[in-house]
Amino acid sequence: MNRTAVAILATIAALTLASCSNPGSEPKATGTVTKTPELSATQKRAVCVDAWSKAIDRWNADTDALLNSDPYKDAKPAECGGLPGQAGMYIEALQARNQANQDEMQACLDDPTCTAFPLP
């Protein structure tokens, strides 16, 4: 659902920008203006936690960036702009990523053919 909300907002923004690209060649709209519905606080929090999770994945993919920076200080996701409780959302995303990693490891340990995590 988080990705759906972001996709809808991105589509609306793209259509808005496209309609403003060449104002002289298009007729003026005379219809009703529809406003984008505001996301609820819960939806905003979910989008922010998802953005933190993606940022954590990027840092894990680039070990040098992780070791040479303070991820929380250096890269707050734009989706979280102005929301209170950033530290809590970062921790929530980190816990979700840790749980996903533990689940992946357990699935591999349960599968005798798995070689993703070689054990001695």
Side-chain angles (χ1 to χ4, degrees), residues 43-110:
Q43 291 170 320
K44 288 178 185 179
R45 179 179 177 81
V47 168
C48 180
V49 170
D50 187 51
W52 272 119
S53 183
K54 290 175 183 174
I56 291 167
D57 285 342
R58 282 191 307 273
W59 299 325
N60 288 341
D62 186 359
T63 306
D64 290 336
L66 180 63
L67 295 175
N68 296 320
S69 69
D70 177 359
Y72 179 73
K73 179 181 173 192
D74 294 343
K76 289 182 186 176
E79 294 87 345
C80 300
L83 292 177
Q86 289 294 304
M89 287 182 258
Y90 172 77
I91 290 169
E92 187 177 331
L94 190 58
Q95 289 172 335
R97 294 303 312 135
N98 287 344
Q99 186 62 53
N101 290 337
Q102 290 173 6
D103 293 346
E104 183 182 358
M105 173 67 87
Q106 189 60 53
C108 185
L109 291 172
D110 292 343

Side-chain angles (χ1 to χ4, degrees), residues 3-4 18 39 42 54 87 101-102 110 114-115:
R3 292 181 184 163
T4 303
L39 295 177
T42 303
K54 290 175 183 174
N101 290 337
Q102 290 173 6
D110 292 343
C114 179
T115 58

Side-chain angles (χ1 to χ4, degrees), residues 26-31:
E26 296 181 22
K28 292 183 180 180
T30 57

